[in-house]
Amino acid sequence: MASSASGFEAHAGNLLEKTDIIASAPHALEALVDPYPGGGDDVGHEAQSIISLLQKQLVAEAAQSWELACLPRPWRTLLVWDEDKTAMQTKHKLPPIIVPSPVSHGVRPQLPEVYFSVYADQDVETVPPPSNIASLLLRDSLVDTINTLDYNRNATAKFLIDLDCYFAPETFVKRATPFDRLKDVETGRSTWKPEDVAVDAVFSQLLQLPNAEHKLVYYHAVLTESCKIAPAAIAPCLGRAIRYLYRSVDTMDLELEYRFMDWFTHHLSNFGFTWKWTEWVDDVELPLAKPKKAFIIGALEKEIRLSFAQRIRGTLPEPYQAFITEAKEKDVPDFKYNSDSTPYAPQAREILRLLRAKAPDSEIGMQLTSIQSEALSFGVADPLIPSTDAYMTAICFVGSKSLSHVLNCIERCKERLLALGPQSEAARRQIVTSVMQYWAEKPGVGVNIVDKLLNYTILTPISVINWALEDNIGRGMILTHAHVYEMVASTIHKVTNRVRQIVIARNQPALPGEQVTILDETLEKEKAQMKVLFATVQDALAGVASGIVDEMAESRNQDTEGEALLRGWGDRWLRVFRRKMAVEETWIADMMANYEATDALVEIAAEVSNGNRTQKDMNEIS
């Protein structure tokens, strides 16, 4: 419709009439990908499906004779057409477009895409509004560029900065125009900033539900490179985006909040950890269960992981100093068994000495047996719990210098740690408790170690989930901690990724029947375990969301506001993991259906080549 050709208006109108039925019908799973499930009356928080939005925009554009003002038409001003000569030119026939069958859906699951913008509530429009078709035309061009050039973030950033070169001349204001100067732009002229449109497109991918097309760190890198290429233009845009997202934390989808937190802290680490923390100083006094307070604490913890506590303390105003305790500034946490008042301290110190000396496992076993005997004399129900605590705490202390140190120590102690699980599930969970207690002031390190213990199969996914959402759920306060979400989400991802790998392996062409049978059996087993894991997560979260967990029931009517906040956290977590389950079920079903369809077509093609079937039969089935 934007070309020099004419006469397609009626055809376009007929197509719009046919697509209206599909585009206007809400998708059954649209609620799962709403970036702001908390709702509210804020501008820009209403979820709009890309398909339905595009339908409305096309109808509006048809009513304006397909103006498509943002698209350049150089032939209108630069070329003089000679109709006679044009009619005599040789016309080239384009080859037919063959749609493959079955159609591959790519990396994106069968869930609707929702329009997302971080500049939706400004006094002056700096990006096209959703009612304008330019919003999707510009976005689609930029998203294609970003996701196609994922192998070269520098080239991507350069294309984004040069955005205004590729569209109609009056589409944007001059580059790097300050936001305050936009109010002075003449009435009727565009106030769209090319930098805002570019940054908005990157955030639409970084914060895309259910999954981004590429690894999230790629989008981090694109924004960083853009800021380095044009700091005066991009930095203020990012500042307004950060403020918008932070204001929306209370109603934002929990997974998106943590993606925002990861990008925010990563971005600050590339620019000296400088941010105007004074803007959020009033939120420092909020209750711990308030999302904005939880965001601030989580962001500071991630900054410490990317640097060190003393440096981060130096970037913060006085009201934030209390978040960086002296314990966080210690490079190596204290070994609690150095105090004689700690039960089993002598044996634990001896275990530590033996680990440092790389003594035989039998000598360590003698000390563990001593702890177990003493625990039985104290009436401890499961003596493996205190012995496991002493052993794992000593491993953490020996390996506290670096990740490689702790991995070497775990490798040496792997056989004994592996033997704990079959003996006592409580002792296996105690491994998680010991790690997280030792690294209580730097929980990100503890989460990393737990992740490695899962890789060694010392821990099982269900033991990690039960530790977080059963043993320590309490009133639900644990759900406010960013590192706990990271631990649970990472554990779930390991399980779902394992299932996906089996499905991909099972769907390889020309696989022998015996291998297919083995993989089918393995797949059913892994799928069953995945469903149990999701069910465990959802049951625990549903208890918090409904306020029926024991501690919430006991404290009812004592802190109504606090309970409502914690129930809100339960709702937010529950929504995330219900969506993850829906995504995995949809993906598996699609992959298996595509495999069966492809397999059927291969069989028919073989019969066609042998003369047993006709090409018509194959086309009908396709």
Side-chain angles (χ1 to χ4, degrees):
M1 301 307 298
S3 70
S4 58
S6 59
F8 291 99
E9 290 79 3
H11 183 56
N14 291 334
L15 288 176
L16 286 176
E17 290 180 6
K18 295 177 181 179
T19 57
D20 183 61
I21 298 175
I22 299 174
S24 60
H27 195 287
L29 299 177
E30 190 170 313
L32 287 178
V33 292
D34 183 357
Y36 299 106
D41 299 326
D42 296 336
V43 176
H45 284 192
E46 180 184 354
Q48 300 183 75
S49 166
I50 292 287
I51 297 297
S52 62
L53 189 60
L54 180 60
Q55 177 75 17
K56 295 174 184 176
Q57 291 176 351
L58 289 172
V59 170
E61 201 66 23
Q64 298 177 20
S65 302
W66 300 97
E67 183 181 6
L68 300 168
C70 67
L71 299 181
R73 271 86 156 194
W75 56 85
R76 290 184 178 176
T77 54
L78 302 179
L79 301 175
V80 178
W81 288 94
D82 187 327
E83 297 293 341
D84 295 333
K85 289 184 178 181
T86 302
M88 297 173 60
Q89 297 298 320
T90 303
K91 293 186 178 181
H92 299 275
K93 186 177 181 180
L94 296 176
I97 298 174
I98 301 174
V99 179
S101 178
V103 177
S104 173
H105 301 301
V107 298
R108 298 194 177 208
Q110 292 266 2
L111 288 176
E113 186 175 354
V114 174
Y115 184 78
F116 182 89
S117 174
V118 295
Y119 300 113
D121 66 341
Q122 301 180 126
D123 296 335
V124 180
E125 284 182 356
T126 61
V127 297
S131 58
N132 193 315
I133 197 169
S135 63
L136 290 186
L137 290 176
L138 297 174
R139 173 71 61 83
D140 191 58
S141 300
L142 289 169
V143 166
D144 284 347
T145 301
I146 293 165
N147 288 331
T148 303
L149 294 178
D150 62 292
Y151 55 87
N152 192 333
R153 65 182 187 275
N154 296 310
T156 303
K158 186 68 171 64
F159 274 118
L160 295 183
I161 297 301
D162 294 339
L163 165 67
D164 53 349
C165 296
Y166 308 112
F167 292 91
E170 301 300 322
T171 303
F172 304 102
V173 296
K174 186 179 179 181
R175 292 186 196 178
T177 300
F179 181 77
D180 294 340
R181 296 284 298 276
L182 294 178
K183 296 179 180 178
D184 300 332
V185 174
E186 297 177 23
T187 303
R189 296 190 60 132
S190 172
T191 56
W192 303 342
K193 288 172 58 65
E195 307 87 8
D196 279 22
V197 174
V199 168
D200 209 22
V202 180
F203 274 112
S204 76
Q205 299 305 291
L206 174 62
L207 303 178
Q208 180 68 50
L209 290 174
N211 300 306
E213 187 159 330
H214 298 293
K215 290 184 177 180
L216 298 178
V217 71
Y218 165 64
Y219 302 106
H220 296 192
V222 169
L223 289 172
T224 298
E225 293 301 325
S226 300
C227 202
K228 289 179 179 179
I229 293 173
I234 300 296
C237 301
L238 292 178
R240 281 183 283 112
I242 291 169
R243 292 179 181 93
Y244 171 82
L245 291 170
Y246 180 75
R247 286 196 304 271
S248 307
V249 159
D250 291 337
T251 56
M252 189 186 298
D253 182 89
L254 187 64
E255 185 173 2
L256 295 189
E257 178 186 335
Y258 286 128
R259 287 195 209 171
F260 166 45
M261 182 189 295
D262 288 342
W263 168 77
F264 174 65
T265 52
H266 186 191
H267 187 76
L268 293 188
S269 73
N270 289 316
F271 297 95
F273 292 99
T274 54
W275 173 248
K276 296 180 179 179
W277 291 101
T278 50
E279 295 182 7
W280 302 342
V281 72
D282 292 341
D283 296 334
V284 171
E285 302 301 324
L286 291 173
L288 292 174
K290 285 281 189 178
K292 285 188 173 68
K293 178 70 169 286
F295 179 89
I296 291 172
I297 294 174
L300 294 178
E301 285 182 353
K302 286 185 178 291
E303 283 196 342
I304 292 172
R305 290 169 69 177
L306 294 168
S307 182
F308 52 92
Q310 294 92 331
R311 183 183 180 190
I312 301 305
R313 178 192 285 275
T315 66
L316 299 173
E318 181 58 33
Y320 292 85
Q321 296 292 319
F323 294 128
I324 312 294
T325 62
E326 291 184 6
K328 289 184 181 296
E329 295 184 353
K330 291 182 179 180
D331 293 330
V332 178
D334 295 332
F335 185 58
K336 68 180 182 180
Y337 290 102
N338 281 336
S339 171
D340 290 331
S341 61
T342 305
Y344 321 110
Q347 297 97 320
R349 288 197 292 266
E350 181 61 17
I351 291 171
L352 177 61
R353 186 191 69 79
L354 293 171
L355 285 174
R356 282 174 165 171
K358 299 182 180 179
D361 184 67
S362 57
E363 295 184 25
I364 296 175
M366 293 172 59
Q367 298 301 320
L368 294 174
T369 301
S370 174
I371 293 175
Q372 292 166 18
S373 300
E374 189 173 335
L376 285 172
S377 68
F378 292 156
V380 176
D382 188 347
L384 278 174
I385 292 177
S387 64
T388 300
D389 182 46
Y391 190 42
M392 198 65 219
T393 303
I395 290 173
C396 288
F397 186 73
V398 171
S400 58
K401 289 184 179 180
S402 68
L403 183 60
S404 60
H405 279 76
V406 74
L407 290 180
N408 287 334
C409 195
I410 290 172
E411 187 70 38
R412 286 191 284 116
C413 304
K414 182 172 66 173
E415 295 305 320
R416 181 172 290 278
L417 291 171
L418 282 169
L420 284 173
Q423 297 178 64
S424 169
E425 179 59 30
R428 179 182 276 156
R429 295 190 205 177
Q430 180 59 45
I431 293 175
V432 186
T433 302
S434 300
V435 171
M436 298 309 296
Q437 283 183 348
Y438 182 78
W439 290 106
E441 297 298 331
K442 297 179 181 179
V445 178
V447 170
N448 204 357
I449 294 173
V450 168
D451 183 74
K452 304 307 178 188
L453 291 169
L454 277 167
N455 292 342
Y456 281 111
T457 68
I458 291 168
L459 297 175
T460 60
I462 195 66
S463 65
V464 175
I465 298 301
N466 284 334
W467 177 86
L469 301 181
E470 182 178 315
D471 299 348
N472 295 282
I473 194 68
R475 296 177 57 210
M477 197 64 193
I478 195 171
L479 303 182
T480 66
H481 298 307
H483 68 271
V484 176
Y485 175 86
E486 180 182 348
M487 180 190 294
V488 173
S490 174
T491 302
I492 293 288
H493 176 72
K494 285 182 182 293
V495 175
T496 57
N497 190 51
R498 163 73 174 160
V499 173
R500 289 191 176 213
Q501 289 176 349
I502 295 171
V503 171
I504 292 171
R506 188 251 183 236
N507 287 358
Q508 292 299 312
L511 205 63
E514 292 181 359
Q515 291 189 24
V516 172
T517 302
I518 294 172
L519 287 171
D520 279 341
E521 293 174 355
T522 306
L523 178 59
E524 290 304 315
K525 179 182 176 182
E526 294 293 334
K527 281 170 58 179
Q529 292 178 356
M530 181 182 74
K531 289 180 179 179
V532 168
L533 200 65
F534 272 111
T536 302
V537 171
Q538 292 183 33
D539 288 346
L541 297 175
V544 177
S546 59
I548 61 174
V549 292
D550 293 342
E551 291 193 26
M552 291 183 80
E554 292 172 2
S555 63
R556 189 160 293 174
N557 299 324
Q558 296 179 16
D559 183 7
T560 305
E561 181 183 2
E563 182 183 328
L565 288 171
L566 294 176
R567 291 175 69 172
W569 280 97
D571 280 329
R572 298 175 78 196
W573 273 67
L574 190 57
R575 183 174 183 275
V576 169
F577 289 99
R578 280 176 174 166
R579 178 174 61 240
K580 289 182 181 293
M581 182 63 180
V583 168
E584 296 308 317
E585 289 179 338
T586 303
W587 186 88
I588 294 170
D590 285 349
M591 287 293 290
M592 298 305 290
N594 287 342
Y595 172 80
E596 291 173 1
T598 303
D599 199 40
L601 287 174
V602 170
E603 291 180 4
I604 295 170
E607 293 182 8
V608 170
S609 64
N610 294 331
N612 298 329
R613 300 284 287 270
T614 65
Q615 184 66 41
K616 181 180 179 182
D617 295 333
M618 186 172 179
N619 293 339
E620 288 177 353
I621 295 175
S622 298

